[in-house]
């Protein structure tokens, strides 16, 4: 169901106002009876943004002088904060990564249970931010769920493929640094996980991520002697050198990793055989681990599910 959460206090499904949750809670002014159409929602945002500052906004942590920002976002990280609130790291399309606090989002009543906002959800978001206060948590004032990606919750390999990608985006992109192409790629990737091979999709997405942030490895020439390399010979990979290392230059490189056959096909749209997909995923995970100085928390589960799920063709 299409759900709309107004800082945990009002939920609207299928365009029908369900009213406030709890007798003592109050919706933001101007939000009761919001229609389902995005056009009307956008109008509501503009209308409420023009309204004089009210004491009710303080319930959400909004202070006078804060601007209301609307965007589309994917939830990358979620941390429970008190019994009823959450701190979220979201990747927005036009404003990059943002950290928001959703006060009261998990508040439930006798009539309605609330689990808050889930990982890897995509939705329309409105949060407030004080100019110059980008380092502080931004109060979330609205969240309208656009896609819950239920196929991720039904398959372990697809779920960890999504989690790994989300954590990689969270760790490798800077706050307030927008990457529109990466956001669109993440949205397509999460949708494509419903049908396509998660291993190949993850390898392609990680390549897109590394390309967007300027850390994609060089795999066509040796990064030391600049000679063209082929997988006919034993090939190494060095994250610090920024890519492939040929057999002749390998002894001089301390940090290195022997590539399996097929890994370099990721530069040409991705390997099509299972061995190549596994090799590409292993190489990209190694590269990300070296960049961060530690493995991603989802790395072990990704290897145990996504890499193992790659089947066929050896
Ligand atoms: Zn070389």
């Amino acid at each position: 169901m299409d759900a709309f959460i107004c800082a945990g206090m009002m939920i609207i499904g299928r365009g029908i106002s369900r009213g406030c949750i709890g007798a003592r809670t109050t919706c933001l002014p101007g939000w009761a009876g919001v229609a389902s159409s995005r056009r009307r929602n956008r109008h509501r945002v503009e209308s409420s943004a023009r309204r004089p500052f009210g004491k009710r906004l303080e319930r959400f942590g909004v202070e006078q002088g804060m601007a209301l920002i609307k965007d589309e976002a994917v939830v990358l990280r979620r941390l429970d904060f008190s019994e009823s609130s959450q701190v979220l790291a979201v990747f927005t399309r036009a404003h990059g990564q943002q950290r928001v606090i959703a006060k009261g989002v998990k508040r439930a009543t006798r009539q309605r249970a609330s689990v808050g906002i889930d990982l890897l959800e995509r939705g329309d978001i409105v949060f407030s931010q004080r100019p110059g206060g980008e380092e502080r948590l931004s109060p979330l004032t609205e969240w309208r769920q656009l896609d819950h990606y239920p196929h991720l919750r039904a398959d372990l390999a697809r779920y960890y493929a999504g989690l790994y990608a989300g954590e990689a985006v969270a760790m490798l992109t800077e706050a307030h640094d927008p990457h529109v192409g990466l956001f669109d790629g993440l949205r397509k990737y999460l949708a494509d996980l419903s049908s396509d091979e998660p291993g190949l999709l993850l390898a392609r997405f990680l390549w897109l991520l590394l390309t967007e942030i300027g850390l994609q490895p060089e795999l066509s020439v040796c990064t030391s002697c600049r000679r063209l390399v082929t997988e006919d010979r034993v090939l190494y990979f060095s994250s610090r050198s920024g890519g492939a290392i040929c057999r002749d230059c390998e002894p001089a490189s301390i940090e290195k990793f022997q590539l399996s056959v097929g890994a370099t096909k990721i530069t040409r749209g991705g390997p099509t055989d299972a061995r190549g997909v596994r090799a590409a995923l292993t190489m990209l995970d190694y590269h990300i681990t070296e960049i961060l100085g530690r493995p991603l928390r989802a790395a072990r589960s990704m290897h145990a599910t996504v890499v193992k799920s790659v089947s066929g063709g050896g």
Side-chain angles (χ1 to χ4, degrees), residues 78-97:
R78 184 182 73 161
L79 177 69
D80 289 338
F81 181 78
S82 78
E83 287 189 357
S84 61
S85 303
Q86 290 179 313
V87 172
L88 305 170
V90 296
F91 187 53
T92 68
R93 190 169 193 272
H95 298 85
Q97 195 178 153

Side-chain angles (χ1 to χ4, degrees), residues 221-227 229 244-250:
V221 298
C222 171
T223 52
S224 180
C225 66
R226 308 306 296 176
R227 281 185 298 187
V229 295
I245 297 281
C246 72
R247 185 70 184 84
D248 298 334
C249 300
E250 170 265 320

Side-chain angles (χ1 to χ4, degrees), residues 218 223-224 226 237-245 253 255:
E218 171 62 75
T223 52
S224 180
R226 308 306 296 176
F237 177 85
S238 170
S239 186
R240 290 178 203 167
S241 300
I245 297 281
S253 179
E255 176 265 308

